[in-house]
Structures are given as structure tokens and as C-alpha cells.
């Protein structure tokens, strides 16, 4: 039995970030991060969940010391942006827009536009590979390609041949400890989501030729936001990803029906968000 201080289940962004935080705060701590995928992972793997809030931006850049990596390998973001009036036949230039319309916080000095504290559009594969390498360099155990099916709760807690007083579940949807403890519950309010990626940059500035629309905010700023096209019972997100592509996703009320493929999502956009 291998004795550790902390076992982390899940080697995605949450588990790896926790591992890095623990090892930075307490050098010499015996930490293992487990995942069913290889660790470190493929730095070019694209994963959903690339948009972070101001709190997460501060945590990644300041608490984990990743500011230089985030500036070099990811996109500095200009907050959230909402376009209301979807499904009403309004052109983009006439739809109410809610967002920070001017750069703030001194971030032109980077020289990028941004909010304060800064937020980022992440390339999840690059971030997770970088953080995993940092965890390994600080002495953390990266135990990839490992299926977790033999948890024994204590303390001490046992996972296979590992044992520790602390066991952390960062396995996301897998919910390994949720299943072990019988704590998974359904929410009363449910929504459906369909998403895909396109290799093209979808820039909201190009969705309207209205002079007033163009003058409201500086050029090259709107695409840095997580944009939401809002309509009755739905919102469609447009999120830039490093490399020039765009994440496109639809969140909607189940009463509007399901969309099972990217093709179905494109058809829906032609009807509801043609621009």
C-alpha cells in the first residue's frame, strides 16, 4: 500500500489545478492525481469548458502563477456579452446589447483589451498539459490510464493500492464519490445543450453592417467576449478558441425539442439566428 497525503480523482482542469495549488503551497506534500486518460494529456486536444470567469482568471493567473502561460497560449477575454431579441425578426444591429463596451482595467497596456481581473478563453488541452507538467515537476504523481473502481472510504481512504487521509473528487460528470456515497440528485429545472466547433472565427462585428452597431464599441473587441444570442427559451453561445476557431453551442428549454447533431444545430440556426 502506497501512503500519500492527498489522492485526487480526476486529471482535468479541476484536479490538476488543485494538485498544483497544494504542491505550491506545501512543497513535499505527497499528492497523486488519477485519471482514466493519459497524463499529461494531449496538448492539442480540444475540450468544452474553455471560457472562465473573473474569479477563475484570478485563481489561474495569481494563485497558480500561470499568468505568462495564459497570455502566451490563450486568448485574453473581454467578459460576457448578451444580444437580446432573438426569434423576433430583429437584425443584429437593432438587438439590445449588454456588455462592457469599452476596454477597462488598464488592459490596453498588455497590449490587449480585457476586464479586471482578467478573464481568458482557454485551450483546455494546452492548459491541462502545462499544469500536469508543473505538477510532475513539483513531485506530484500523475497516474494516467487508470480506471477507478475500487474505492474504500475511511479515513484513511483507499483507492486501489493508494491510501491517504484526504480523498478529493474532481472527476466531473463521472461523479466517482457521488456514486460511492449515493449523493447524486436531479435538478427540478432541466435544460438541453448541443454544441460544436467551427474552424472559422465568428466575429459578432461582422453580423451587422449598421454604422451605429459598429460605433458602440472598438473594433476587435466583441469577438473577445463570450457572446450569448438570447431568445425565448434559448441562448446560443459564441466563444473564440485559440487557433482562430469558435465554439458554438445552444442551451434551450426541453420543450423546444432536442437536436442530435451539428447538422441539426446548423438547421436550427438558419431558422432562429440566421445571421
Amino acid at each position: 500500500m502506497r501512503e500519500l497525503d492527498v489522492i485526487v480523482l480526476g486529471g482535468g482542469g479541476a484536479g490538476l489545478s488543485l494538485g498544483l495549488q497544494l504542491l505550491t503551497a506545501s512543497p513535499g506534500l505527497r499528492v497523486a492525481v488519477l485519471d482514466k486518460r493519459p497524463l499529461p494529456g494531449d496538448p492539442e486536444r480540444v475540450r468544452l469548458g474553455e471560457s472562465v470567469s473573473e474569479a477563475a482568471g484570478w485563481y489561474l493567473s495569481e494563485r497558480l502563477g500561470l499568468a505568462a502561460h495564459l497570455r502566451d497560449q490563450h486568448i485574453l477575454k473581454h467578459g460576457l456579452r448578451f444580444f437580446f431579441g432573438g426569434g423576433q425578426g430583429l437584425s443584429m444591429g437593432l438587438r439590445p446589447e449588454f456588455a462592457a463596451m469599452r476596454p477597462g482595467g488598464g488592459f490596453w497596456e498588455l497590449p490587449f483589451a480585457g476586464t479586471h481581473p482578467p478573464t481568458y478563453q482557454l485551450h483546455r488541452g494546452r492548459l491541462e498539459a502545462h499544469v500536469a507538467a508543473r505538477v510532475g515537476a513539483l513531485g506530484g504523481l500523475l497516474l494516467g490510464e487508470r480506471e477507478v473502481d475500487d474505492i474504500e472510504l475511511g479515513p484513511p481512504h483507499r483507492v486501489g493500492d493508494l491510501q491517504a487521509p484526504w480523498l478529493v473528487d474532481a472527476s466531473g460528470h463521472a461523479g466517482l464519490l457521488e456514486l460511492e456515497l449515493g449523493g447524486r440528485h436531479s435538478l427540478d429545472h432541466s435544460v438541453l445543450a448541443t454544441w460544436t466547433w467551427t474552424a472559422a472565427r465568428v466575429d459578432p462585428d461582422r453580423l451587422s453592417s449598421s454604422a451605429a452597431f459598429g460605433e458602440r464599441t472598438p473594433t476587435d473587441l466583441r469577438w473577445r467576449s463570450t457572446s450569448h444570442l438570447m431568445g425565448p427559451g434559448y441562448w446560443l453561445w459564441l466563444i473564440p478558441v485559440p487557433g482562430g476557431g469558435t465554439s458554438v453551442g445552444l442551451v434551450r428549454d426541453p420543450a423546444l425539442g432536442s437536436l442530435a447533431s451539428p447538422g441539426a444545430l446548423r438547421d436550427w440556426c438558419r431558422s432562429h439566428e440566421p445571421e
Side-chain angles (χ1 to χ4, degrees):
M1 188 65 61
R2 184 161 192 171
E3 296 289 337
L4 300 165
D5 297 305
V6 185
I7 300 171
V8 181
L9 304 178
L16 290 168
S17 294
L18 175 61
L20 179 56
Q21 181 180 347
L22 291 172
L23 291 164
T24 301
S26 300
L29 202 67
R30 297 170 300 175
V31 178
V33 180
L34 285 62
D35 201 275
K36 64 182 180 182
R37 296 177 294 121
L39 290 176
D42 179 1
E44 294 310 311
R45 181 172 183 249
V46 178
R47 299 187 64 197
L48 191 69
E50 62 274 11
S51 182
V52 299
S53 67
E54 286 80 357
W58 176 88
Y59 172 75
L60 293 170
S61 60
E62 303 301 323
R63 178 60 65 85
L64 298 187
L66 300 176
H69 170 75
L70 292 169
R71 286 197 301 268
D72 293 342
Q73 298 295 322
H74 306 273
I75 297 172
L76 192 64
K77 171 185 170 183
H78 196 66
L80 303 178
R81 189 170 300 271
F82 300 87
F83 296 95
F84 296 96
Q88 300 178 25
L90 295 175
S91 67
M92 182 63 71
L94 296 177
R95 290 171 66 165
E97 180 180 5
F98 181 80
M101 293 298 179
R102 299 289 169 184
F107 276 88
W108 282 122
E109 299 169 10
L110 285 179
F112 301 114
T115 54
H116 186 73
T119 58
Y120 302 91
Q121 308 287 6
L122 303 175
H123 187 297
R124 288 277 304 277
R126 294 178 195 169
L127 178 71
E128 292 173 9
H130 179 78
V131 175
R134 292 274 299 272
V135 169
L138 291 173
L141 291 177
L142 298 172
L143 303 178
E145 299 181 281
R146 180 159 179 157
E147 292 288 344
V148 176
D149 54 10
D150 52 353
I151 299 173
E152 182 178 323
L153 298 179
H157 310 291
R158 292 178 54 190
V159 180
D161 60 346
L162 306 176
Q163 181 171 284
W166 291 95
L167 176 62
V168 180
D169 187 358
S171 61
H173 293 298
L176 295 174
L177 286 188
E178 281 185 313
L179 295 174
E180 189 73 20
L181 298 170
R184 179 167 290 185
H185 303 285
S186 297
L187 299 176
D188 292 333
H189 176 64
S190 63
V191 297
L192 300 176
T194 303
W195 62 85
T196 187
W197 287 273
T198 173
R201 171 79 74 223
V202 180
D203 185 348
D205 277 338
R206 299 182 181 180
L207 300 182
S208 175
S209 58
S210 163
F213 180 82
E215 292 169 359
R216 280 206 300 259
T217 192
T219 303
D220 200 42
L221 194 64
R222 280 190 175 101
W223 73 266
R224 291 183 178 275
S225 296
T226 291
S227 291
H228 305 77
L229 309 187
M230 312 292 293
Y234 75 86
W235 52 271
L236 182 79
W237 79 65
L238 301 173
I239 304 176
V241 294
T246 306
S247 170
V248 182
L250 175 67
V251 179
R252 64 205 177 282
D253 190 290
L256 299 180
S258 62
L259 301 175
S261 69
L265 176 59
R266 284 193 295 271
D267 291 340
W268 184 93
C269 288
R270 289 189 183 99
S271 299
H272 295 79
E273 296 287 352
E275 289 164 308

